[in-house]
Amino acid sequence: GLLVRLGISGLQMRVRVRVSIGFTPHAAEALEGICDVVHAPLDVSDGGAEDTAYGLMCLEHFLRSADGRRLRTDVIYFNWGLHNLLLNPEDQVPGQQDTVYDYAEPLAHIMLRLRVHAEQTGTALVWGDTTPYICDDEKDAVVQLLNKEARALMETAGIPFAAPSPHAAMAEACAASEQRPNRTCIFGEGCPHWNDAGYRFLGEKIVAPSMLRALNAPAPQPAAEAHP
């Protein structure tokens, strides 16, 4: 996810999953002079926050700086999805790839922990839908299922969604290139990832505006407990 911090040094944002590694610099550029943008985890050499079980296990680390200090945040943009697409549990790679069946429960716990963090710190939360698996309609159907599950959880907790939806916006942008499934989307490169133009689109047109809207939203209020 993205962390956004306001103050003398500006805003701070955090991003999760490898797609976020691509769009973070563009979100930072779009918000230059307004905020500082920081990826979570800080190490961007791998696939970000991976699956939801791994994300839950490491969430506390994602909210801290390299020296272990808890970061003061104003906005957190978060997402999990692309690392929970497996249908066969035998294909599971702990800490990297998990099943669709193990997606929602850890995400519910992540959401609840972030709600506590938000209520304690005044941080605004924004959920970003998982971007489409544009070259494989079967896998993209799984992505859309996970997005539906995630949105139901976020609605329960009153957490707003990034707008436009990253999934819908990227799918629409690619629809004109060729009949799907395809590998020639104007933003396509190494499906399910994107080329620099795609990451720029995500960072500038979706993530950065969603962060700015969140900063103007009312402070988070205690919500009814969501049961995972």
Side-chain angles (χ1 to χ4, degrees), residues 14 27 35 53 72 140 149 187:
R14 288 226 165 160
C35 63
R72 186 178 68 81
D140 191 54
E149 292 182 356
F187 292 154

Side-chain angles (χ1 to χ4, degrees), residues 36-203:
D36 294 326
V37 180
V38 179
H39 190 274
L42 295 172
D43 180 4
V44 296
S45 62
D46 196 8
E50 309 292 355
D51 56 83
T52 53
Y54 178 91
L56 177 60
M57 180 175 64
C58 297
L59 184 61
E60 184 62 27
H61 297 286
F62 296 155
L63 295 173
R64 294 182 180 272
S65 63
D67 61 6
R69 291 179 296 108
R70 179 175 278 271
L71 291 166
R72 186 178 68 81
T73 57
D74 292 292
V75 180
I76 297 177
Y77 177 106
F78 66 110
N79 162 271
W80 273 268
L82 285 178
H83 290 266
N84 278 87
L85 302 183
L86 299 179
L87 299 176
N88 185 352
E90 294 183 359
D91 295 332
Q92 181 183 19
V93 181
Q96 291 189 2
Q97 298 290 340
D98 207 345
T99 70
V100 296
Y101 319 111
D102 297 317
Y103 177 71
E105 184 174 351
L107 182 61
H109 288 292
I110 289 169
M111 179 200 70
L112 290 172
R113 288 192 187 182
L114 288 177
R115 281 286 305 183
V116 171
H117 174 81
E119 290 162 10
Q120 291 175 341
T121 63
T123 298
L125 302 176
V126 180
W127 169 261
D129 287 341
T130 298
T131 50
Y133 212 112
I134 208 69
C135 64
D136 189 320
D137 279 347
E138 291 185 2
K139 289 184 178 180
D140 191 54
V142 177
V143 168
Q144 293 183 62
L145 174 64
L146 298 187
N147 278 340
K148 184 177 180 180
E149 292 182 356
R151 279 183 166 244
L153 287 171
M154 303 308 148
E155 286 178 348
T156 300
I159 296 173
F161 311 137
S165 159
H167 186 282
M170 297 301 281
E172 181 180 358
C174 288
S177 45
E178 277 189 9
Q179 190 174 19
R180 291 181 58 198
N182 70 80
R183 295 180 181 274
T184 59
C185 169
I186 56 172
F187 292 154
E189 182 176 287
C191 181
H193 304 298
W194 309 95
N195 60 23
D196 190 64
Y199 288 131
R200 180 174 293 278
F201 179 86
L202 280 166

